[in-house]
Amino acid sequence: MKTELDRQHWRPAFSRPGFVTFKHDSVPERLPRGVFARTSSWSIGKASGTQSTDLIAQVVAALDVQIAAGAMPAIPLDRLHVWPRDRVPIGKFGFEPGPDALSAAVGSTLLPAIGGKYVRSASVNEIAVPGDSVLDLVLVDPSQWWIGWHGVPQTPSGRVATALPATWPGGVQPIEPTVSVISRAYYKAAEAIAWSGFEMAVGDLAVEVGAAPGGACGRMLELGLRVIGIDPAEIDPDIAEHPDFTHLRARAGDLPRREFRGVKWLLVDSNVRPDQTLTTVEHIVTHRESEIRGMLLTLKLGGFEHSDRIPGWIRRVRGWGASDVRVRQLARSKVEVCLAAKMGS
């Protein structure tokens, strides 16, 4: 992320694992963008202390200073989002990103003090909509709060999905599964599908390469899709026994192309090198009988030092006739990125 933002002339300032601030020599018109920035805000300041009354007073004072300087939009803002920084890597010791119990407690204490004058929302961590302004409070530590704000962009027709992470508290998709969650892949698939903007319809046929144990397949089945899971390994019985699921116990590269007839959506999350993933996908989507409209590819970096290969992967996918190719590190991804691409114009 620091390398990405350096190219946009942003210089690192204060940082902790899971949280970083940057400075710019000019006054940019928009927040920086990047593959590895889950969410971003214009900084208002910070509050430090052990007493909630002191912390809240500092938040109010910081808001008053910014308002007086004309550095913020008209008050009150539309939403209040409160969440903690990621203190450990995703999945370590069971850690999952996004708002937690402490966030809820802080938000419920803060909102009565700033509601009405500074924020109009009636509750904390409501999902925003395009056009909203959001007051962000990041719990860098329980006794250190960083304050910011961001606007949710009004996106052109058909591109609303690209603004979705800015509507979610901390850039983490709020979701309440109605099926058994087999693995974290469920949440990764849910975010990837929402962010991609793919118009998946009930009854559409989708394929996942690297499907075991079935987490992502569970999300697609929940959306009403017919799903083919390709993996030599076992699929969880809750998925394997679903009437709209078919398990092909093989490797995708070994299957004849006829197995992909009628497939509209392709997901790939195999634990192999990106070049191998891309070669497998290329053989599928460039076949003359391919009907695939969109693909979501998990590309394992093997180390963040290899992120400089991402532009080359994008060029390769565009060479297949893909359009609207975008890359994002999903909230629950580890050392990997998700590439979303539509086939055709």
Side-chain angles (χ1 to χ4, degrees), residues 310-343:
I310 293 174
W313 298 338
I314 294 173
R315 288 193 296 271
R316 181 172 177 181
V317 171
R318 284 179 175 156
W320 307 339
S323 63
D324 193 18
V325 182
R326 289 174 283 129
V327 178
R328 172 177 171 82
Q329 186 185 32
L330 304 175
R332 288 179 171 83
S333 287
K334 295 185 179 180
V335 189
E336 62 192 22
V337 294
C338 176
L339 183 149
K342 295 180 179 179
M343 292 304 297

Side-chain angles (χ1 to χ4, degrees), residues 41-278:
S41 304
W42 299 108
S43 179
I44 294 173
K46 67 176 180 178
S48 301
T50 57
Q51 299 297 317
S52 60
T53 52
D54 292 340
L55 289 161
I56 291 170
Q58 293 175 58
V59 171
V60 171
L63 288 166
D64 286 339
V65 168
Q66 294 293 314
I67 294 165
M72 288 181 61
I75 296 295
L77 303 183
D78 297 297
R79 316 284 174 181
L80 171 62
H81 288 175
V82 183
W83 73 95
R85 69 177 172 93
D86 291 1
R87 294 179 176 85
V88 295
I90 303 299
K92 188 175 183 179
F93 307 125
F95 173 76
E96 296 295 337
D100 58 5
L102 179 60
S103 307
V106 169
S108 63
T109 301
L110 176 62
L111 189 58
I114 65 173
K117 181 178 180 180
Y118 300 101
V119 176
R120 63 167 53 95
S121 59
S123 59
V124 181
N125 287 337
E126 297 173 346
I127 299 175
V129 297
D132 273 357
S133 54
V134 180
L135 179 64
D136 295 308
L137 187 73
V138 185
L139 306 179
V140 174
D141 288 305
S143 59
Q144 186 177 116
W145 303 352
W146 279 75
I147 316 143
W149 74 272
H150 74 274
V152 180
Q154 294 275 14
T155 55
S157 177
R159 295 296 299 276
V160 173
T162 62
L164 278 178
T167 72
W168 302 330
V172 180
Q173 181 186 22
I175 187 169
E176 297 182 3
T178 61
V179 298
S180 297
V181 176
I182 306 303
S183 67
R184 182 179 291 108
Y186 170 93
Y187 296 102
K188 289 166 55 178
E191 179 182 353
I193 291 167
W195 163 70
S196 71
F198 291 166
E199 297 177 354
M200 295 182 173
V202 172
D204 282 356
L205 182 59
V207 161
E208 186 188 14
V209 176
C217 294
R219 177 55 179 169
M220 290 188 286
L221 291 167
E222 186 179 33
L223 295 174
L225 277 67
R226 295 176 294 126
V227 180
I228 299 172
I230 300 175
D231 203 303
E234 293 285 346
I235 299 292
D236 186 276
D238 283 350
I239 302 299
E241 295 170 7
H242 194 286
D244 290 329
F245 179 78
T246 301
H247 182 197
L248 298 182
R249 301 194 65 160
R251 300 186 184 279
D254 298 333
L255 291 172
R257 298 301 82 143
R258 64 175 178 272
E259 298 290 356
F260 297 91
R261 286 175 184 165
V263 172
K264 292 184 178 179
W265 312 107
L266 175 66
L267 278 71
V268 180
D269 192 357
S270 299
N271 192 25
V272 299
R273 292 180 294 103
D275 288 346
Q276 186 175 342
T277 294
L278 294 173

